[in-house]
Amino acid sequence: MSLSLVIVGSAGHVGYVLSDLAAYPQVRFTAYAPSYPEEDVARYGRPDADGTAPRGYDDWRAMLDAERPDIVVVAGKGHEATQTIGDVVVAFDDRVVVRELLEARS
């Protein structure tokens, strides 16, 4: 059985998820998207060991609709309701994102 994994955002401990994927050959990292506009998620576009690169999306909602993944990693700071980019504070709450995901899929 093969499982598809997508990532929303680039904060928190997402590096642990990526570094451990090799231990789970049944899981394929298929796509990624920023959690808010202008979030830098370019590092996810690198090809894996077999030369396959995950697809990049500009909007996580569009990604979820297109990909219909088995696993969604929300890579943020679960205890905070904002993300700070330089000196700009952007509203982003992981709990709200997950709630939106679940409600949309119910």
Side-chain angles (χ1 to χ4, degrees):
M1 171 173 65
S2 179
L3 300 171
S4 62
L5 177 143
V6 301
I7 297 177
V8 175
S10 66
H13 299 289
V14 70
Y16 293 123
V17 173
L18 295 173
S19 66
D20 287 349
L21 277 180
Y24 302 94
Q26 73 276 24
V27 178
R28 299 281 305 163
F29 175 26
T30 58
Y32 61 92
S35 57
Y36 56 86
E38 284 92 47
E39 181 177 23
D40 183 8
V41 292
R43 67 182 171 149
Y44 297 143
R46 296 185 199 126
D48 60 16
D50 69 2
T52 305
R55 288 172 291 285
Y57 289 81
D58 293 328
D59 181 89
W60 60 268
R61 293 165 191 86
M63 174 186 68
L64 295 178
D65 288 341
E67 298 290 328
R68 308 295 296 169
D70 299 299
I71 303 166
V72 178
V73 175
V74 179
K77 301 177 183 178
H79 64 289
E80 296 179 10
T82 61
Q83 295 273 352
T84 304
I85 306 138
D87 53 353
V88 176
V89 178
V90 177
F92 179 76
D93 187 326
D94 297 338
R95 296 162 293 192
V96 172
V97 171
V98 171
R99 193 174 304 118
E100 284 181 16
L101 293 173
L102 293 173
E103 289 172 358
R105 303 304 184 253
S106 297

